[in-house]
Amino acid sequence: MHNRFASKAGVSKMPDFKPLYRYSFYEAMHHNEQDKWRESFAENQRCRDFIDEMVRENFDGMHIKGEIPQKTVAEFGFDRTRWVLANHIQHYDYDGRISPQNKVWASDIYIPRPEKREMRDHSTSYLLNSHQTLVDYLADKVQQMYAALNLYDHRHRVQGDIHRQDYTGKLLILRADVLKESCRTPENQLFVAESGFGCSPDASGRAVFGQFLIDSEKARFDRQDFVGICDESYLADWAKEKQQMLAAPEDQGETQGPAMKGM
């Protein structure tokens, strides 16, 4: 359901890419999703080969040229590019040629490791063959590119325990990875929660019903799909104006009521 709504929300900035399968082969078998896993696995390997080939063509032993990060993201998208780089860094987190900052960044990206039932760690099959210093450089550049999207994250939410906050009637921030990459903009992350058990921190249900702020399209998400309540001091002017428009009919009704009553 999320993919359907995300594909329609707002203005598209990037093309659609083959979906990244984020779970282990064992989980894919359990959910009968082996085809999805295989397609994603093959694309991970193609991404690995693409990066290695670009490095071979553009590194002269001293200097690296070309737009390797930009071309990789254009071909595979941010999700898979970041996944392949982070997977490599996680496997080589002991290597001093990779910066501590990039090791921390990579560790925050959850990449499943083999279950006890599995005999093989499939993630080793798309490790890069490029020099570690160059992998470190590429990881830096991709992070800079991703940061330039200016997406909302935990820094932009209302402070407090999100597990105790009621979302009803609040402007929420959708997690960036819930949206398809073609729709991954800060505008599309803003969602007005209207109803659903997931709005309540104490309810057992997870569903949150509401609408995208940018175009008022109705949608349903789960509570865990949100970063939290948006701190409105970070809102752009268009978002503040849209909020006022949504509240206007209710305010007008309150104003008109007494006047009609007195007639």
Side-chain angles (χ1 to χ4, degrees):
M1 180 175 290
H2 299 168
N3 284 340
R4 179 167 67 88
F5 285 122
S7 66
K8 293 169 61 180
V11 178
S12 174
K13 283 192 173 183
M14 298 181 67
D16 288 331
F17 304 99
K18 289 186 178 180
L20 173 66
Y21 193 82
R22 300 176 182 273
Y23 308 101
S24 68
F25 180 67
Y26 174 78
E27 290 174 288
M29 291 181 61
H30 181 72
H31 294 286
N32 197 28
E33 296 177 337
Q34 296 96 316
D35 289 344
K36 292 182 180 180
W37 182 92
R38 291 190 184 96
E39 182 178 25
S40 185
F41 178 75
E43 194 71 350
N44 290 342
Q45 291 184 312
R46 191 171 78 85
C47 182
R48 182 266 322 269
D49 295 340
F50 184 92
I51 294 173
D52 284 339
E53 181 63 25
M54 290 284 289
V55 169
R56 282 193 293 271
E57 292 177 354
N58 292 279
F59 183 59
D60 62 9
M62 290 292 292
H63 305 95
I64 191 164
K65 60 182 180 178
E67 298 182 333
I68 299 175
Q70 293 86 343
K71 290 179 179 178
T72 305
V73 170
E75 179 71 17
F76 298 96
F78 276 112
D79 285 352
R80 193 174 309 279
T81 301
R82 295 168 79 236
W83 181 277
V84 170
L85 289 169
N87 176 67
H88 183 94
I89 292 173
Q90 286 182 20
H91 276 281
Y92 290 97
D93 63 351
Y94 58 84
D95 197 309
R97 293 170 293 183
I98 298 173
S99 71
Q101 294 83 0
N102 282 339
K103 291 176 182 177
V104 171
W105 165 76
S107 68
D108 285 339
I109 297 178
Y110 173 72
I111 298 175
R113 297 305 172 202
E115 303 274 350
K116 291 181 179 179
R117 304 168 183 81
E118 297 180 70
M119 300 296 294
R120 175 187 172 192
D121 185 352
H122 295 91
S123 66
T124 62
S125 297
Y126 48 89
L127 291 175
L128 293 156
N129 295 305
S130 300
H131 193 280
Q132 303 289 41
T133 303
L134 299 179
V135 174
D136 192 59
Y137 165 82
L138 295 174
D140 274 338
K141 292 300 182 183
V142 169
Q143 289 176 70
Q144 291 172 22
M145 290 170 61
Y146 196 72
L149 296 178
N150 294 317
L151 298 173
Y152 288 106
D153 58 28
H154 65 279
R155 296 170 299 176
H156 306 105
R157 70 188 181 196
V158 171
Q159 297 302 307
D161 184 357
I162 61 173
H163 300 293
R164 304 308 309 160
Q165 293 173 342
D166 193 312
Y167 287 172
T168 307
K170 303 295 185 181
L171 181 63
L172 307 180
I173 299 173
L174 269 170
R175 290 198 344 259
D177 60 3
V178 170
L179 293 166
K180 292 176 67 174
E181 287 201 51
S182 58
C183 301
R184 197 170 294 173
T185 66
E187 295 83 1
N188 287 335
Q189 288 184 271
L190 298 176
F191 187 83
V192 182
E194 297 174 340
S195 62
F197 288 115
C199 288
S200 171
D202 300 316
S204 58
R206 297 179 298 175
V208 175
F209 298 93
Q211 60 180 294
F212 288 99
L213 183 65
I214 191 170
D215 60 6
S216 301
E217 183 180 7
K218 298 290 185 178
R220 172 214 184 273
F221 292 97
D222 289 342
R223 186 179 177 93
Q224 62 267 29
D225 291 331
F226 297 98
V227 175
I229 300 171
C230 183
D231 182 337
E232 297 186 8
S233 65
Y234 293 104
L235 290 178
D237 290 341
W238 75 265
K240 294 176 182 178
E241 293 173 4
K242 188 64 181 289
Q243 276 197 303
Q244 292 174 356
M245 289 174 58
L246 290 176
E250 184 176 325
D251 294 340
Q252 291 173 3
E254 291 176 358
T255 302
Q256 294 172 356
M260 293 177 65
K261 186 177 181 180
M263 290 177 64

